[in-house]
């Protein structure tokens, strides 16, 4: 297994890619995120960069209308999985690399997408500097992350990761010219067993036990922040 120099471990997908695939299928069942992004900047006919693309779950969707899609992933096995997923799509390529040292040319990207990947607030300054380098003027970058200030999932996340302060994250991005669009989406699983498996890869055992015991059913209301910046 090869990891790109500087790659930051992501225990959920790095250690449990099959369960993470189940999570990806359960996220945003009513399709809230994509229309919100398109309302800010549509990628039809443009070059899209997906940072931290994992196994390439979102690449085919971008490829439906984008002229070119580049996925960047530090974990070699996941990058290989993304290549397999998109091997029939001539406008998609996957490169191994990190947000801090993007393997793309200067001023070559129209739309950047990072979903629960690297850009979590303070500490991601090297990646933001790389965006300044690779984004075309007039291009738009999107960062999707949890909103720990509200929703059932936000409550779980805030209790399990109290070191991540929503106000600090908001101040960090706002001061750097990003705009916050709050969205309400959700998790919707086909089976209870799937929800429990996903909870166990996202939270430490004690937190996962507490969450599973306190929540019934296969759906969870889930608030996120869609951060965007035009360069």
């Amino acid at each position: 297994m090869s990891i790109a120099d500087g790659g930051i471990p992501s225990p959920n997908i790095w250690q449990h890619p099959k369960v993470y695939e189940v999570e990806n299928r359960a996220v945003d069942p009513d399709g809230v995120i994509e229309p919100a992004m398109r309302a800010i900047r549509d990628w039809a006919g443009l070059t899209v960069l997906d940072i931290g693309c994992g196994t390439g779950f979102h690449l085919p969707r971008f490829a439906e209308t984008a002229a070119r899609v580049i996925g960047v992933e530090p974990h070699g096995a996941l990058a290989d999985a993304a290549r397999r997923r998109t091997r029939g799509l001539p406008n998609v390529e996957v490169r191994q690399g990190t947000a801090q040292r993007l393997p793309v040319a200067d001023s070559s990207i129209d739309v950047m997408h990072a979903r629960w990947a690297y850009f979590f607030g303070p500490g991601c300054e090297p990646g933001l500097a790389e965006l300044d380098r690779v984004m075309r003027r007039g291009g738009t970058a999107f960062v999707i992350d949890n909103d720990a200030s509200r929703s059932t999932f936000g409550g779980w996340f805030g209790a399990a990761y109290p070191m991540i302060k929503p106000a600090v994250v908001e101040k960090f991005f706002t001061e750097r010219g990003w705009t916050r669009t709050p969205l309400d989406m959700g998790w919707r699983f086909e089976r209870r067993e799937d929800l429990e498996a996903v909870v166990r890869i996202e939270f430490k055992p004690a937190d996962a036990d507490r969450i599973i015991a306190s929540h019934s059913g296969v759906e969870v209301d889930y608030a996120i922040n869609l951060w965007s910046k035009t360069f």
Side-chain angles (χ1 to χ4, degrees), residues 57-74:
F57 185 84
H58 301 288
L59 300 181
R61 182 62 177 169
F62 287 124
E64 290 178 6
T65 57
R68 186 183 185 196
V69 181
I70 302 168
V72 171
E73 169 57 45

Side-chain angles (χ1 to χ4, degrees), residues 2-10 13-14 49-55 59 70-80 82-83 93-105 113-114 117-119 126-127 130 133-134:
S2 64
I3 305 296
D5 186 37
I8 299 171
S10 183
I13 190 170
W14 283 27
L49 173 66
D50 188 0
I51 298 178
C53 70
T55 60
L59 300 181
I70 302 168
V72 171
E73 169 57 45
H75 190 286
L78 297 182
D80 286 343
R83 293 185 186 102
E93 66 175 301
V94 177
R95 303 173 183 177
Q96 190 173 4
T98 66
Q100 309 96 296
R101 297 183 64 182
L102 289 168
V104 298
H113 168 262
Y118 179 77
F119 295 97
E130 276 289 81
R133 178 182 70 82
V134 307

Side-chain angles (χ1 to χ4, degrees), residues 27-230:
V27 166
D28 193 19
D30 298 319
V32 171
I33 298 173
E34 183 177 317
M37 292 173 62
R38 287 185 183 273
I40 296 168
R41 182 64 184 273
D42 199 324
W43 47 87
L46 303 180
T47 297
V48 175
L49 173 66
D50 188 0
I51 298 178
C53 70
T55 60
F57 185 84
H58 301 288
L59 300 181
R61 182 62 177 169
F62 287 124
E64 290 178 6
T65 57
R68 186 183 185 196
V69 181
I70 302 168
V72 171
E73 169 57 45
H75 190 286
L78 297 182
D80 286 343
R83 293 185 186 102
R84 290 192 297 272
R85 175 176 239 139
T86 59
R87 59 191 167 197
L89 301 175
N91 60 335
V92 178
E93 66 175 301
V94 177
R95 303 173 183 177
Q96 190 173 4
T98 66
Q100 309 96 296
R101 297 183 64 182
L102 289 168
V104 298
D106 295 356
S107 303
S108 61
I109 302 300
D110 298 302
V111 175
M112 188 284 292
H113 168 262
R115 189 175 302 209
W116 297 296
Y118 179 77
F119 295 97
F120 300 126
C124 74
E125 292 88 346
L128 294 179
E130 276 289 81
L131 290 184
D132 287 336
R133 178 182 70 82
V134 307
M135 297 298 297
R136 288 193 176 113
R137 298 310 94 179
T140 300
F142 293 104
V143 168
I144 296 165
D145 196 15
N146 299 315
D147 182 353
S149 71
R150 60 198 183 89
S151 81
T152 297
F153 185 91
W156 295 349
F157 187 84
Y161 301 101
M163 71 292 293
I164 301 176
K165 307 291 187 185
V168 172
V169 173
E170 181 169 356
K171 183 173 185 288
F172 176 87
F173 279 112
T174 301
E175 287 182 343
R176 287 160 176 79
W178 293 71
T179 298
R180 173 178 172 262
T181 302
L183 299 175
D184 296 297
M185 51 143 217
W187 272 349
R188 185 181 300 151
F189 295 90
E190 294 182 2
R191 306 181 306 160
R192 173 69 183 185
E193 303 96 288
D194 292 338
L195 180 148
E196 293 184 9
V198 168
V199 167
R200 292 196 184 281
I201 71 167
E202 295 293 355
F203 297 95
K204 295 176 181 178
D207 293 313
D209 288 342
R210 172 180 52 79
I211 289 166
I212 289 168
S214 68
H215 189 84
S216 60
V218 295
E219 297 191 38
V220 182
D221 60 290
Y222 191 146
I224 62 170
N225 290 319
L226 172 64
W227 291 100
S228 59
K229 180 179 180 178
T230 297

